[in-house]
């Protein structure tokens, strides 16, 4: 049903910034959750951040707290991930995904985007 399309990835130097976008269609925008995940080469996919669109509550993994910010543009049905103070270990393919509510269980997210590559050089 729903579709999610990520954009905004690229190559950036350490301590630099990027803003990722997740364009959402086919969902009631104020009645679902969007999570950001990342998959570094050779490692497991891990949760980064999540926002519940009904109440605006947000969640962050400890390794990005203070550096990344998740937000929404309701008029454009878009979710953003602002990434500041990037580190080489942030290098990964970043995905957005939709669920009925933010959850630590990745299998609760039934719809996934195609991913966007983020590469941070040292």
């Amino acid at each position: 049903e729903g579709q999610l399309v990520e954009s905004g990835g690229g190559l950036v130097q350490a301590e630099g910034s990027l803003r990722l976008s997740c364009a959402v269609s086919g969902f009631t925008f104020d009645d679902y959750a969007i999570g950001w995940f990342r998959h570094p080469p050779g490692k497991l996919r891990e949760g980064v951040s999540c926002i519940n669109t009904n109440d605006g509550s947000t969640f962050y993994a400890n390794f990005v707290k203070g550096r990344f910010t998740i937000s929404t543009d309701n008029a454009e049905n878009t979710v953003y991930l602002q990434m500041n103070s990037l580190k080489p270990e942030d290098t990964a393919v970043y995905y957005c995904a939709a669920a009925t509510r933010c959850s630590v269980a990745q299998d609760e997210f039934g719809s996934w985007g195609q991913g966007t590559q983020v590469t941070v050089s040292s």
Side-chain angles (χ1 to χ4, degrees):
E1 180 190 46
Q3 289 187 313
L4 305 97
V5 180
E6 302 96 334
S7 61
L11 175 64
V12 65
Q13 290 185 324
E15 303 302 318
S17 298
L18 285 173
R19 188 180 72 165
L20 306 183
S21 298
C22 178
V24 179
S25 62
F27 298 97
T28 303
F29 190 77
D30 60 353
D31 197 29
Y32 63 93
I34 296 293
W36 284 98
F37 301 82
R38 68 187 189 186
H39 192 179
K43 299 178 67 177
L44 296 175
R45 188 174 63 197
E46 60 190 355
V48 175
S49 185
C50 191
I51 184 165
N52 290 306
T53 61
N54 64 342
D55 62 7
S57 58
T58 59
F59 304 88
Y60 297 93
N62 286 335
F63 55 81
V64 302
K65 281 185 177 179
R67 299 191 297 126
F68 292 8
T69 304
I70 191 169
S71 63
T72 62
D73 184 335
N74 294 51
E76 298 295 329
N77 284 10
T78 302
V79 179
Y80 301 99
L81 185 68
Q82 179 67 47
M83 305 187 296
N84 298 326
S85 302
L86 284 162
K87 306 174 181 180
E89 53 262 43
D90 294 319
T91 295
V93 178
Y94 283 72
Y95 300 88
C96 61
T100 58
R101 188 77 177 170
C102 285
S103 174
V104 298
Q106 293 187 24
D107 60 5
E108 292 295 317
F109 292 80
S111 298
W112 293 75
Q114 81 289 348
T116 185
Q117 176 71 47
V118 172
T119 303
V120 183
S121 62
S122 60

